[in-house]
Amino acid sequence: MALTIKQFSLIVAFSGLLSFIFGVVAEKPAAGSVTQVPGIGVVICKYPSDPTVALGFLSFAFLLVSTAFGLWSLFYPYKGKSVPQGALFRNTTFVIFFNIALFTAGIAAALLLWPTITEQSHLLHHVHRNLKTDCPTAKTGLLGGGAFVSLDSALFWLVALMLADNAREDYFEEVEKDSKGEYGQVTTDEYDGHAAAKETA
């Protein structure tokens, strides 16, 4: 099934929005709800059950979907017509937004994964031999920041897609003009040849 620019835009925007929502909801409240249970020579950290880790990974997954479809949409052969990558990258504005979209996607991935993996590690390793431990938790604010950057990344992919569509139209217009020009030149030469033949006859 052939996809259209509108369908790509909806997928990128919807995935970016879901990544933003999951990242914001996953943001943990301030620490303080963790309880320490003293044991024999160890301290057991009892963390409250919350979906932070699952939501963090979901936010990251939808960021990947948004980024993958954003990249795919730029070079997809719409209506069976492919455009050389060089034709797209001749457009300076497109190159700028393409690089910004890639950069923000990478920053969002780092901001989403770092606290999610850290929190998962804390949940798995909750028994500490250091009796003075404070029961560590993941840094707050990173997931929320990653969610906003993820949404920004989706918006930049949409802008890059619009610019790529404009560059694609310009490319096909140039190709069409070149083909018409060559055809017109051949026709004129043939006409001149026939005219000269008539005059000699």
Side-chain angles (χ1 to χ4, degrees):
M1 176 183 169
L3 294 173
T4 63
I5 291 178
K6 185 177 180 180
Q7 289 172 326
F8 269 113
S9 301
L10 289 174
I11 293 172
V12 172
F14 187 65
S15 301
L17 183 61
L18 285 178
S19 177
F20 168 73
I21 292 172
F22 284 128
V24 169
V25 176
E27 181 63 58
K28 286 181 67 67
S33 55
V34 182
T35 57
Q36 295 183 359
V37 180
I40 302 173
V42 295
V43 172
I44 302 172
C45 296
K46 191 174 181 181
Y47 294 93
S49 59
D50 61 54
T52 298
V53 174
L55 292 174
F57 281 123
L58 277 173
S59 179
F60 174 72
F62 280 105
L63 169 65
L64 287 183
V65 172
S66 177
T67 302
F69 274 90
L71 273 170
W72 189 21
S73 68
L74 301 179
F75 309 106
Y76 184 80
Y78 297 100
K79 298 179 181 178
K81 296 180 179 180
S82 59
V83 178
Q85 293 185 9
L88 295 177
F89 286 101
R90 278 185 300 183
N91 188 322
T92 306
T93 310
F94 169 78
V95 173
I96 292 172
F97 277 94
F98 176 79
N99 287 319
I100 292 175
L102 277 180
F103 179 73
T104 52
I107 294 295
L111 290 174
L112 291 173
L113 280 180
W114 182 11
T116 302
I117 294 174
T118 303
E119 185 67 16
Q120 186 181 37
S121 176
H122 293 328
L123 293 175
L124 292 175
H125 306 95
H126 60 280
V127 179
H128 302 274
R129 296 190 179 277
N130 181 7
L131 299 179
K132 296 181 180 179
T133 186
D134 292 329
C135 290
T137 57
K139 287 186 177 181
T140 58
L142 293 179
L143 277 170
F148 278 99
V149 179
S150 179
L151 183 61
D152 291 339
S153 175
L155 295 176
F156 283 123
W157 283 122
L158 292 177
V159 174
L161 177 56
M162 288 188 290
L163 294 170
D165 185 44
N166 292 338
R168 189 178 288 106
E169 290 179 0
D170 294 340
Y171 171 78
F172 285 123
E173 285 179 4
E174 289 178 7
V175 170
E176 188 176 349
K177 285 180 182 178
D178 291 342
S179 62
K180 283 183 178 179
E182 291 174 1
Y183 179 76
Q185 186 64 38
V186 171
T187 305
T188 304
D189 291 343
E190 289 179 354
Y191 176 78
D192 292 341
H194 285 303
K198 285 182 179 179
E199 288 179 1
T200 54

